[in-house]
């Protein structure tokens, strides 16, 4: 047979010729025929063509009415996609029927996932999906063994259709259904008073909430944070609560202030006091229904930052607002926090009186968490005043209450205080065991402030037997205190380091002790810590006498 004296092209009507040409070129491995932009511009300039006959495609000037593709070796007819005004109304008389010569694996998707993505509730594939897969396999467009492997051209087609039609619509329906079902599971567990289930599911809750962040299911993310965030925080899972509240904040909505307040509370327990303060300030608004709670939380962080006068002002404002609104819970919490700040300033008697009032308010409000907190803080006040039996009784009681109420987040601090009282009571073995338990709980929940307290306790316990180890513990406490911007622990550690210097009897030790005491005194004065100021003054006086005597 002699070669034909002519060639031909296949012309295909299209509404969007350039989009269709791109897709077929990618599917077949052909090339899109370039168009001469300079020639088009000259036609426009000479009036032989109008702007309406041109368009811009992929950043280039092209004729609007047509696009062509060619086989890279010229081994097949040219395909021209020609724009026509009328829509398709009947079946094509002529179409391209391509048979793939080989399978070139592309994307892989498990068979069980196909039903989910198509909105099927059952784990098995619906019959129409199975029929479709069987057809595609006969056409050599997919392979099933056992996963479904898409041919590259099929994957490209799916991407094109998804971009032109409803993007992710089926996936969205499936994810929304998943989100709704999971939220109902969590809601049911919370309603039935089953915090253990929520605790066990914490990783899944966080994963689902994170997944929903990229889908139109913000309301479900918010619902999960509302249901599980506070509970996980109270149970000591601070990292999970932190992440959940951040997801809810990112989702937006009218509850953002509440989530910022909750995040601030978690950050405070994690020892990130500047971060907590930032979130709580954003959460506060005078007209907000929970404004008194935000003020109380701001006071807590200011206290940790060593700004005691500002903290007391915030507590008093929170207490007054809570009283005017009849909010007994926040009124009791603000009063208890005010009492604890007075304790820090050395007014132990007044602090104990206010603790009693705060406990009565917490009991009237049914606030078991604050009852636990007040008992723990009253134990510290009893220890401050030298009443070790009462301090020990209340410390043990606070741990019992914390476990009974499920307020696990407070246990590291309560255990830390119990260890301190046990140490001072001469119960050294129990003190060590309790300190170890507190350290493990603090590490697990990420409560760096409690870790700082335990470093101080450990250093004090080591002072007589291992001065160098004690000094190392105090230095670590100082470093952690500075990292958290919490000067209270730094003040105590500096005083203890000065005591080690004096006790060492080394040459120049007294000279080293003086600047430590001066730094501690500056912190105590800035915070209004009268007890610490007295301790520093007493030591400086003894130090001056020792230097005068040539020691």
């Amino acid at each position: 047979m002699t070669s034909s004296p002519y060639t031909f092209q296949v012309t295909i009507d299209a509404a969007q010729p350039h989009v269709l040409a791109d897709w077929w070129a990618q599917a077949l491995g052909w090339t899109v025929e370039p168009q001469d932009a300079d020639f088009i511009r000259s036609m426009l300039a000479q009036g032989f063509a109008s702007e309406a006959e041109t368009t811009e495609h992929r950043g280039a000037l092209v004729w609007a009415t047509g696009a062509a593709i060619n086989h890279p070796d010229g081994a097949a007819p040219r395909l021209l996609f020609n724009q026509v005004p009328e829509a398709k109304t009947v079946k094509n008389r002529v179409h391209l029927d391509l048979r793939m010569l080989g399978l070139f694996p592309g994307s892989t998707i498990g068979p069980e996932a196909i039903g989910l993505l198509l909105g099927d509730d059952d784990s098995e594939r619906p019959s129409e999906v199975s029929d479709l897969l069987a057809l595609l396999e006969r056409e050599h467009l997919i392979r099933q063994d056992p996963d479904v492997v898409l041919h590259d051209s099929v994957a490209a087609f799916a991407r094109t259709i998804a971009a032109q039609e409803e993007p992710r619509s089926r996936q969205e329906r499936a994810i929304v259904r998943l989100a709704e079902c999971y939220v109902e599971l969590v809601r049911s567990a919370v309603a039935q008073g089953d915090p253990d289930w929520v605790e066990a599911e914490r990783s899944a809750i966080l994963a689902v909430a994170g997944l929903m962040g990229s889908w139109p299911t913000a309301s479900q993310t918010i619902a999960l944070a509302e249901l599980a965030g506070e509970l996980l925080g109270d149970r000591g899972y601070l990292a999970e609560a932190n992440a959940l509240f951040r997801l809810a904040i990112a989702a937006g909505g009218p509850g953002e202030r509440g989530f910022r307040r909750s995040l601030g509370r978690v950050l405070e327990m994690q020892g990130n006091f500047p971060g907590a303060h930032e979130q709580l300030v954003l959460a506060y608004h005078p007209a907000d229904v929970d404004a008194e709670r935000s003020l109380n939380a701001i006071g807590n962080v200011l206290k940790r930052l060593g700004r005691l006068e500002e903290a007391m002002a915030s507590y008093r404002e929170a207490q007054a607002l809570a009283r005017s609104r009849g909010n007994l819970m926040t009124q009791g919490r603000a009063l208890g926090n005010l009492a604890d700040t007075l304790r820090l300033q050395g007014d132990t008697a007044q602090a104990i009186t206010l603790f009693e009032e705060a406990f009565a308010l917490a009991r009237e409000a049914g606030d078991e968490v604050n009852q636990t907190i007040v008992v723990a803080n009253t134990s510290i006040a009893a220890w401050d005043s030298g009443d070790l039996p009462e301090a020990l009784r209340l410390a043990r009681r606070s741990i019992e209450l914390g476990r009974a109420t499920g307020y696990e987040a407070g246990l590291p601090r309560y255990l830390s205080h119990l260890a301190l009282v046990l140490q001072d009571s001469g119960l050294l073995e129990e003190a060590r065991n309790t300190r170890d338990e507190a350290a493990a709980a603090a590490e697990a929940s990420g409560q760096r402030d409690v870790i700082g307290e335990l470093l101080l306790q450990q250093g004090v316990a080591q002072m007589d037997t291992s001065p160098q180890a004690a000094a190392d513990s105090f230095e670590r406490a100082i470093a952690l205190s500075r990292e958290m911007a919490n000067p209270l622990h730094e003040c105590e550690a500096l005083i203890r380091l000065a005591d080690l210097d004096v006790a060492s009897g080394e040459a120049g030790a007294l000279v080293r002790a003086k600047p430590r005491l001066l730094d501690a005194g500056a912190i105590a004065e800035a915070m209004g810590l009268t007890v610490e100021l007295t301790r520093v003054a007493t030591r400086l006086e003894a130090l001056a006498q020792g230097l005068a005597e040539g020691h």
Side-chain angles (χ1 to χ4, degrees):
M1 177 182 294
T2 60
S3 61
S4 174
Y6 56 83
T7 61
F8 68 91
Q9 69 177 10
V10 177
T11 303
I12 303 167
D13 291 348
Q16 297 179 302
H18 292 280
V19 173
L20 205 56
D22 287 346
W23 186 86
W24 276 104
Q26 182 180 6
L28 298 175
W30 290 19
T31 59
V32 176
E33 188 174 277
Q35 298 191 21
D36 191 337
D38 290 338
F39 174 74
I40 296 172
R41 291 189 187 94
S42 71
M43 292 295 99
L44 293 172
Q46 297 175 61
F48 296 136
S50 66
E51 294 283 352
E53 295 175 275
T54 67
T55 188
E56 188 174 287
H57 183 66
R58 297 186 181 277
L61 182 66
V62 296
W63 295 115
T65 54
I69 64 173
N70 294 286
H71 188 284
D73 300 326
R78 177 178 186 255
L79 299 185
L80 173 65
F81 299 92
N82 186 51
Q83 188 178 56
V84 294
E86 67 275 5
K88 175 182 174 182
T89 56
V90 296
K91 180 182 178 181
N92 291 340
R93 290 293 187 182
V94 179
H95 65 276
L96 300 179
D97 191 0
L98 301 179
R99 306 291 294 198
M100 299 298 176
L101 299 179
L103 183 65
F104 303 95
S107 305
T108 301
I109 183 170
E112 70 285 348
I114 293 175
L116 175 64
L117 296 179
L118 291 177
D120 179 52
D121 288 324
D122 299 325
S123 59
E124 297 181 359
R125 285 176 280 166
S127 59
E128 60 269 22
V129 176
S130 297
D131 292 344
L132 174 61
L133 294 179
L135 173 63
L136 292 175
E137 189 165 30
R138 287 197 303 273
E139 294 293 327
H140 303 290
L141 297 177
I142 68 168
R143 181 179 63 203
Q144 302 184 81
D145 59 351
D147 288 343
V148 176
V149 181
L150 302 181
H151 190 288
D152 282 336
S153 62
V154 178
F157 176 75
R159 285 194 297 270
T160 301
I161 293 302
Q164 293 175 348
E165 298 179 2
E166 303 172 56
R168 304 199 303 181
S169 59
R170 289 172 174 171
Q171 291 95 325
E172 287 179 359
R173 287 196 296 272
I175 293 297
V176 169
R177 187 170 58 256
L178 168 67
E180 291 173 346
C181 291
Y182 198 75
V183 167
E184 286 309 310
L185 278 176
V186 177
R187 194 186 310 279
S188 175
V190 172
Q192 293 173 17
D194 189 3
D196 292 338
W197 184 91
V198 177
E199 178 181 326
E201 285 283 303
R202 62 188 184 277
S203 296
I205 290 171
L206 191 57
V208 172
L211 172 67
M212 291 186 292
S214 61
W215 299 85
T217 49
S219 61
Q220 309 302 335
T221 301
I222 291 170
L224 282 177
E226 289 175 339
L227 290 166
E230 293 282 357
L231 189 152
L232 289 173
D234 286 348
R235 302 277 284 196
Y237 295 103
L238 302 182
E240 289 86 345
N242 183 320
L244 201 53
F245 290 138
R246 289 186 186 278
L247 286 170
I249 290 168
E256 180 181 335
R257 291 186 186 278
F259 290 126
R260 288 193 182 279
R261 182 174 55 252
S262 297
L263 176 59
R265 176 171 170 265
V266 169
L267 288 170
E268 180 202 344
M269 287 191 286
Q270 290 181 308
N272 183 355
F273 303 130
H277 187 259
E278 178 185 3
Q279 291 298 326
L280 292 168
V281 169
L282 289 171
Y284 173 69
H285 188 278
D288 187 47
V289 66
D290 288 320
E292 62 269 35
R293 292 181 62 192
S294 296
L295 285 168
N296 184 54
I298 288 171
N300 286 340
V301 176
L302 289 171
K303 180 172 66 175
R304 299 288 188 190
L305 289 169
R307 295 154 61 178
L308 300 189
E309 292 299 327
E310 293 176 70
M312 288 198 293
S314 190
Y315 291 141
R316 289 190 174 105
E317 189 176 353
Q319 189 184 9
L321 184 57
R323 188 185 296 113
S324 69
R325 293 178 171 182
N327 186 340
L328 287 177
M329 177 181 287
T330 303
Q331 190 178 340
R333 293 195 176 195
L335 185 60
N337 289 326
L338 178 62
D340 192 52
T341 311
L342 289 171
R343 178 193 65 78
L344 284 171
Q345 291 186 319
D347 195 347
T348 305
Q350 178 65 12
I352 290 175
T353 299
L354 293 183
F355 279 139
E356 292 172 354
E357 295 179 22
F359 186 85
L361 285 168
R363 186 166 51 192
E364 185 178 354
D367 186 357
E368 293 179 337
V369 170
N370 197 38
Q371 290 179 54
T372 305
I373 294 171
V374 170
V375 169
N377 286 339
T378 306
S379 172
I380 298 173
W383 177 79
D384 286 343
S385 64
D387 189 350
L388 289 181
E390 180 66 359
L392 185 58
R393 183 186 73 81
L394 291 173
R396 294 190 192 279
R397 179 59 178 156
S398 68
I399 293 170
E400 292 172 2
L401 290 172
R403 287 178 171 147
T405 60
Y407 186 54
E408 303 285 338
L411 285 178
R413 187 176 301 279
Y414 306 156
L415 287 165
S416 171
H417 174 63
L418 175 59
L420 177 63
V421 178
L422 289 167
Q423 182 79 25
D424 285 358
S425 301
L427 303 171
L428 303 185
E429 183 176 356
E430 187 180 356
R432 281 194 299 272
N433 294 337
T434 303
R435 194 159 50 243
D436 290 343
E437 185 181 356
E443 288 284 357
S445 59
Q447 296 189 43
R448 297 186 301 164
D449 194 34
V450 177
I451 294 171
E453 291 179 4
L454 292 167
L455 285 170
L456 288 173
Q457 287 187 37
Q458 179 177 285
V460 171
Q462 296 166 330
M463 287 179 73
D464 292 335
T465 58
S466 181
Q468 185 55 55
D472 290 343
S473 295
F474 294 141
E475 292 289 359
R476 289 168 59 196
I478 289 173
L480 188 58
S481 180
R482 289 173 179 171
E483 185 181 326
M484 294 186 298
N486 175 14
L488 183 60
H489 293 165
E490 181 178 359
C491 180
E492 179 65 23
L494 286 168
I495 293 173
R496 295 294 185 173
L497 282 171
D499 289 346
L500 282 174
D501 288 335
V502 172
S504 71
E506 297 175 1
L510 298 185
V511 176
R512 290 200 304 273
K514 184 175 181 180
R516 298 189 198 275
L517 291 171
L518 290 175
D519 287 346
I523 293 172
E525 185 174 8
M527 292 182 66
L529 304 175
T530 56
V531 173
E532 280 68 23
L533 276 172
T534 300
R535 291 170 64 199
V536 168
T538 301
R539 283 165 170 77
L540 283 172
E541 184 178 346
L543 190 61
Q545 183 177 348
L547 288 170
E549 294 173 356
H551 295 303

